[in-house]
Amino acid sequence: MREGIPVLRGALPLFGHLPSLHRRLRDVVRDGERENGPVFWLNLGFGRWVICAAHADAWQLMKSKGVSSEHAREKPVIDFLGARSLIALDGAEHARVRGALNPTFSPRGLTGLDLGPAFAEIIRTRLSTWAQRGTISLLAETRELVLSLMFRMAGVEGAELSEWRRHYERLAWLAVNMPDIPGSPRWFAKRSRDWLDARVRELIAEARANPSTGLISALVAARDEHGAALDEQQLVENTRLLILAGHETSASTMAWATALLAVHQDAWKRLCDEALAAPDLPRTPGELKAFPFAEAMFREALRLYPPVSFDMRRVVTELEIAGVSLPLGADVLIPLATQSRDAGVYPDPDRFAPDRWLDKRTAPTAVELVQFGAGPHFCLGYHVAWLEIVQFLVALARVLGAAGLRPSLHGRFPEPRFIPLTHPPSSLRIRVA
Ligand code: HEM
C-alpha cells in the first residue's frame, strides 16, 4: 500500500510496469482492477508513480475543477510538449490560447480554409498508388498521408514527409520517463525535437512574411479577447503540438480501420457498396452524414483502439473516485483504452461490431467521445479527425473497390503497442490485390 491505496504487483526494477503496459495495457488495467479495486498505484518507470483510476466513471475527472495539467509542465512531459503548449496550460491561460485557436478548428473555420476538398484530393491521389505498389507498410503510409494533410492545413508546401515522420516518431519517446543517457531513445528524441523546432521556426517566419490562409498564418494572426497575440515560444510549441497531435492519432485510427477491413470481408463489402453508390467523396463535415457505414467503421476502430491509450491529470483539491480519496498532488492516469471498452456502455465490448453505431444517428454522447478526452482540454482537432478519417475510408473503398481490389493482411491480426500512443506495430504490412 502507498498512502492507503494498493500498489499493483509485478513492477520490474527500474522499468516498473512500463513494459507490461506497453504490450498489454488493457489487461494490466483490468487485472489490476480485479485484484485491487478501481484505484491503485502504477509505476511508469524510473520512480514515476501514478494512480490508475480504472473505475468506469474515471473519465469524468477530466471535467473536474479539482484537477490540473501541472504534471505536463514537469518532466517527462515538459520535454515532449513544452510548458507553453495547450496541453500543459490551465485555467485562464489555457482558455486564452484555446480561445485564439477554437475558431479555426470549428466546422465553419475548417470550411473557411477550404480543407475538405483539398484533403479529398490528397487522400485520393495517395491511395491510387496503393494498387501499383501491392504491399503497403501500413503505419508509415498513413502517418505520411496524414502529415501531408496537416501540412496542407498549415499552408506548407513541399515538406519532406519521411523526414518529418521519422523525427516525430522519435520525439514521442520524450513522453516516457527514462534517463537522458547518450544514445538512448530519449537522447535521440531530443535531437529530433531540435530538428523539428528549427523547421517549425522557419514555417512561422515564412507565415509572418507571407501570410496565407493556412493554419500557421492563422496562429500568427490569432488574438485573444484582449487583443494579445501568441508569443514566439507559444507559437513554436503549439505548432509542433498541432502537427504531432494531428497526425499520429488520426494515422493510427486509419491504420486500425484498414487492418479491420482487411480481416472483416463483410464490412469491406458494405463500405464499398456505400462508397461506390455515392457520386464522390464527402467534402464537408455536413456531407459525412451520407456515409453512415464509413462513420460507423471510424467510430468502431477508434473505440477498439483509441490512439491516446491514457490521459493524465494532477489532483489539486480534495477528490474521490469510487469512494476512494485521491491524495493531493498525485497524478491520476485515466485509461481511455479500457474506458472505451466499458461493458456498461458497450454490450460485448471487445467485439468488432460497427453496427452498434448505425442505430445511433444522434450526436455522440460525452462518454462515447472519451477517446478525444473531456472537459477544457477536449481534443481541439475533433472535427478535423472525423472529416479526414471518414474521407480516407470512403476513398479507400472507392479507389480499391472500383478496381476490384481489397486489402488483406500479411499474417495475423496485429496486437497493439500502447506507449507512447496506441498504434499497430510498425512492421505491419497489408497486401492490396
Ligand atoms: C483520431 C484522432 C484524434 C484523437 C483520438 C485525439 C485525441 C485527443 C486526446 C485524448 C486529447 C487530450 C484531451 C484531454 O486531455 O482532455 C487531445 C488533445 C488535443 N488534440 Fe487531439 N486527437 C485526434 C486528432 C487530432 C487532430 C487531427 C488535431 C489537430 C489537427 C488534434 C489536436 C489536439 C490538440 C491541439 C489537443 C490539445 C487540446 C488542449 O489541451 O486544449 N487532435 N486529442
Side-chain angles (χ1 to χ4, degrees):
M1 303 286 274
R2 283 168 70 100
E3 303 182 63
I5 293 177
V7 173
L8 184 72
R9 65 192 170 83
L12 297 175
L14 294 181
F15 295 97
H17 298 104
L18 199 58
S20 47
L21 289 170
H22 182 47
R23 295 270 170 173
R24 306 186 297 109
L25 185 137
R26 279 194 308 266
D27 296 339
V28 170
V29 172
R30 285 170 170 172
D31 294 349
E33 186 179 9
R34 261 194 300 276
E35 284 177 24
N36 304 292
V39 177
F40 50 88
W41 288 99
L42 278 176
N43 181 340
L44 290 188
F46 301 93
R48 178 148 169 68
W49 286 94
V50 298
I51 292 179
C52 176
H55 190 264
D57 290 339
W59 66 277
Q60 308 253 19
L61 285 173
M62 294 186 278
K63 299 196 292 180
S64 162
K65 288 198 164 43
V67 298
S68 82
S69 298
E70 235 170 284
H71 65 281
R73 302 194 287 274
E74 295 171 5
K75 274 181 174 287
V77 188
I78 188 173
D79 290 336
F80 177 38
L81 300 172
R84 312 288 307 283
S85 77
L86 264 183
I87 282 184
L89 300 179
D90 280 310
E93 197 178 1
H94 176 261
R96 191 177 79 80
V97 181
R98 180 89 191 210
L101 296 179
N102 274 339
T104 308
F105 285 86
S106 66
R108 184 189 292 193
L110 297 176
T111 308
L113 289 176
D114 219 11
L115 279 183
F119 278 10
E121 222 26 68
I122 295 170
I123 293 171
R124 196 201 324 264
T125 307
R126 181 109 193 179
L127 287 178
S128 52
T129 66
W130 283 24
Q132 294 104 56
R133 284 151 68 198
T135 296
I136 306 292
S137 181
L138 192 54
L139 194 58
E141 181 70 15
T142 55
R143 279 179 175 161
E144 287 183 21
L145 169 60
V146 185
L147 262 179
S148 62
L149 302 181
M150 288 310 299
F151 285 130
R152 169 61 183 77
M153 194 173 175
V156 176
E157 280 172 23
E160 274 292 320
L161 292 179
S162 341
E163 279 284 279
W164 280 80
R165 170 177 61 78
R166 219 164 40 81
H167 287 291
Y168 266 116
E169 283 170 1
R170 284 188 185 165
L171 178 80
W173 284 104
L174 284 178
V176 180
N177 199 36
M178 56 174 90
D180 274 328
I181 302 166
S184 67
R186 204 177 157 77
W187 185 84
F188 279 113
K190 282 193 163 169
R191 262 124 214 92
S192 285
R193 188 188 56 195
D194 294 344
W195 187 95
L196 289 166
D197 282 1
R199 300 300 159 305
V200 165
R201 280 178 207 284
E202 284 169 19
L203 299 181
I204 292 170
E206 169 66 20
R208 281 209 176 95
N210 300 306
S212 69
T213 53
L215 177 64
I216 301 183
S217 290
L219 286 178
V220 168
R223 297 291 179 274
D224 65 16
E225 72 271 31
H226 308 296
L230 303 187
D231 65 34
E232 182 71 13
Q233 195 55 24
Q234 278 178 325
L235 281 174
V236 171
E237 290 183 3
N238 283 299
T239 306
R240 168 160 41 84
L241 167 71
L242 276 169
I243 300 176
L244 168 80
H247 91 275
E248 283 269 339
T249 47
S250 294
S252 165
T253 305
M254 287 177 186
W256 285 116
T258 308
L260 286 165
L261 288 165
V263 292
H264 293 280
Q265 287 190 34
D266 51 329
W268 174 250
K269 180 169 179 328
R270 289 168 76 188
L271 183 67
C272 287
D273 288 348
E274 178 178 277
L276 289 167
D280 205 342
L281 299 186
R283 280 156 193 271
T284 61
E287 287 178 18
L288 299 178
K289 288 189 184 59
F291 299 87
F293 191 73
E295 286 201 295
M297 268 305 300
F298 156 57
R299 294 179 72 178
E300 189 64 350
L302 183 72
R303 185 189 74 77
L304 287 171
Y305 302 101
V308 181
S309 53
F310 62 84
D311 215 324
M312 195 93 86
R313 295 289 191 271
R314 177 160 298 170
V315 181
V316 292
T317 60
E318 307 241 313
L319 267 185
E320 60 174 51
I321 181 103
V324 181
S325 297
L326 302 175
L328 274 183
D331 289 341
V332 181
L333 180 150
I334 301 144
L336 305 184
T338 50
Q339 303 265 284
S340 134
R341 291 186 181 213
D342 177 6
V345 182
Y346 306 104
D348 203 356
D350 291 335
R351 194 166 70 87
F352 167 73
D355 285 289
R356 68 175 89 236
W357 302 109
L358 287 177
D359 302 333
K360 296 189 163 213
R361 302 301 290 158
T362 49
T365 61
V367 71
E368 288 169 358
L369 290 179
V370 79
Q371 305 85 4
F372 291 101
H377 288 274
F378 181 81
C379 177
L380 178 70
Y382 161 72
H383 294 292
V384 180
W386 198 297
L387 176 66
E388 67 193 2
I389 299 170
V390 176
Q391 284 184 316
F392 167 82
L393 290 170
V394 176
L396 187 70
R398 284 177 68 86
V399 172
L400 300 190
L405 302 171
R406 67 177 186 84
S408 60
L409 279 187
H410 275 290
R412 289 183 331 146
F413 194 80
E415 289 294 328
R417 304 285 183 265
F418 290 98
I419 291 179
L421 294 174
T422 311
H423 55 83
S426 313
S427 57
L428 177 65
R429 307 264 183 285
I430 55 155
R431 195 178 311 116
V432 174

